[in-house]
Amino acid sequence: MTRSLQQVIDPAKKVFLIAHVDPDGDTIGSTLALAHALGKRGKKCTLACSDPVPSLLSFLPGVEKFGVPQVTDHDLIITVDLSDPGRLGRAYEHVLELSLPVVNIDHHITNPMFGTVNLVRSDAAATAEIIFDLLSDWGIALDQLMATYLLTGIVTDTRSFSTSNTTPRVLEVASELMGKGASVTEINESYYRSKGAGTLRLWGRMLDRMELDGRIIWSVNTLEMRRECRADSDNGIVNLLGTVREALAAVVFREHEGHRIEISMRSRPGVDISSVAVHFGGGGHPQAAGAMLDGNLEQVIPRVLSRTREVLDSAD
Ligand code: AMP
Ligand code: MN
Ligand code: MN
């Protein structure tokens, strides 16, 4: 552990941990594991997330501890898996202005180092891998629960060990976590094989509206489509779009209340899609990135497709 990290964590008694908006398995699993470890070191932890934890993660004991509380008498803030301050969400958008130290633990290459102390390692496949190393530095023995939290982060961020960031080291860490009793099968069953029928109905509609524009495959997910299909999420259909042979990049345009469009992007190795996300104020990894844009679909789609085309042309 770096000295500066030790200097802010050691004296802290009440820690405010923040998971990112639209939470995934890595931000939730990593936050739970870190809170568990900090608890063992005698610290009180508050778990915060601007958005509710999706039901796909309800198999993790402790998810009910996440809420949208206020920072009160806390003496340290830790953000977990947040690529940029925009990922704090509405409830915590002013939290960096408080005069509290902020530890930024993350693995996104686009992270602008917004913390007082930044533990950002883009070589890590998941923030869970960084937490794994941190706990080992602290000499905290992993139990089955902590191993399950961390393995959930790794399995979900590597899409079950299939993405280009699945290094030999990730497999070693996963192997050790399995040795502590975490189950890859259980995580896969809970996370990838528990979609609601509404989600698949939505997939049907989105696949119907899918378009292949040169080497970009894209589709839309509107508020109306979600309402009609009774689905609250498209559950990562962008990963499916990204498997289309003709495509080098896949984009999903997700409409939100308040004239905002969220984009989720995937690309083949060799195409750095995170530069498109950063251009629009978002972030992510070279092969998986996203952003939130103001405007409606008619305005946002041509802007994003044109920027993506430029990136694909420059990668030729
Ligand atoms: P997703 O498409 O939601 O699975 O996200 C893919 C990657 O992009 C993840 O690493 C996210 O952290 C990142 N990402 C998604 N949306 C945003 C956003 N609005 N701002 C910054 N990064 C994002
Ligand atoms: Mn994440
Ligand atoms: Mn992550």
Side-chain angles (χ1 to χ4, degrees):
M1 180 167 56
T2 61
R3 247 176 87 82
S4 46
L5 183 60
Q6 205 162 344
Q7 277 164 359
V8 288
I9 290 191
D10 279 353
K13 293 191 176 63
K14 235 182 139 183
V15 185
F16 198 87
L17 295 133
I18 307 180
H20 65 68
V21 285
D22 190 17
D24 55 25
D26 190 26
T27 195
I28 296 298
S30 297
T31 304
L32 285 167
L34 183 58
H36 204 73
L38 290 171
K40 288 190 178 202
R41 298 185 85 196
K43 301 176 195 307
K44 282 203 166 11
C45 292
T46 304
L47 275 60
C49 185
S50 268
D51 291 332
V53 179
S55 56
L56 282 179
L57 290 168
S58 54
F59 71 97
L60 290 175
V63 285
E64 67 286 349
K65 292 181 193 148
F66 281 94
V68 196
Q70 292 295 307
V71 178
T72 53
D73 56 345
H74 301 85
D75 43 21
L76 177 65
I77 292 171
I78 305 183
T79 62
V80 185
D81 196 42
L82 270 74
S83 55
D84 63 89
R87 305 286 279 165
L88 289 162
R90 290 257 164 86
Y92 301 111
E93 60 189 357
H94 299 299
V95 98
L96 301 182
E97 295 152 26
L98 305 171
S99 53
L100 285 179
V102 175
V103 174
N104 162 21
I105 308 181
D106 184 43
H107 68 125
H108 294 89
I109 196 159
T110 56
N111 194 297
M113 308 291 177
F114 56 85
T116 323
V117 176
N118 300 287
L119 181 53
V120 177
R121 274 178 39 199
S122 59
D123 65 298
T127 296
E129 194 183 335
I130 304 175
I131 305 289
F132 174 90
D133 290 335
L134 197 57
L135 302 194
S136 133
D137 278 355
W138 288 349
I140 291 185
L142 292 176
D143 55 24
Q144 187 185 0
L145 185 60
M146 284 167 102
T148 301
Y149 290 152
L150 294 176
L151 192 58
T152 298
I154 288 174
V155 167
T156 56
D157 260 26
T158 61
R159 260 179 282 136
S160 287
F161 308 106
S162 67
T163 54
S164 56
N165 55 3
T166 310
T167 57
R169 156 87 170 142
V170 172
L171 296 176
E172 279 165 24
V173 171
S175 161
E176 198 170 327
L177 295 171
M178 287 185 77
K180 301 286 179 194
S183 163
V184 168
T185 316
E186 211 174 282
I187 296 167
N188 275 314
E189 280 294 317
S190 308
Y191 198 79
Y192 291 110
R193 291 167 55 86
S194 307
K195 294 177 190 68
T199 299
L200 256 66
R201 257 194 303 273
L202 179 61
W203 279 24
R205 298 277 296 274
M206 292 179 70
L207 292 176
D208 205 35
R209 289 185 66 168
M210 176 187 89
E211 294 200 30
L212 184 63
D213 175 338
R215 292 160 302 169
I216 308 171
I217 188 123
W218 62 275
S219 190
V220 296
N221 168 354
T222 66
L223 286 163
E224 190 184 10
M225 285 160 76
R226 292 206 288 286
R227 209 165 28 242
E228 287 175 1
C229 297
R230 275 173 274 125
D232 49 7
S233 152
D234 62 49
N235 207 279
I237 194 180
V238 68
N239 297 316
L240 180 63
L241 297 184
T243 63
V244 169
R245 194 175 48 228
E246 296 90 336
L248 289 182
V251 190
V252 162
F253 296 90
R254 206 172 290 123
E255 185 188 21
H256 287 271
E257 300 284 358
H259 298 285
R260 291 176 309 144
I261 307 294
E262 181 187 7
I263 53 170
S264 271
M265 291 179 291
R266 298 292 184 268
S267 63
R268 300 224 178 246
V271 177
D272 180 0
I273 205 76
S274 69
S275 64
V276 180
V278 169
H279 177 77
F280 292 110
H285 308 285
Q287 267 75 63
M292 186 71 86
L293 288 80
D294 290 323
N296 57 34
L297 286 167
E298 290 67 33
Q299 295 161 333
V300 166
I301 291 173
R303 288 176 62 205
V304 172
L305 292 184
S306 137
R307 186 75 193 185
T308 308
R309 244 175 255 125
E310 281 172 30
V311 168
L312 292 185
D313 289 346
S314 67
D316 277 343

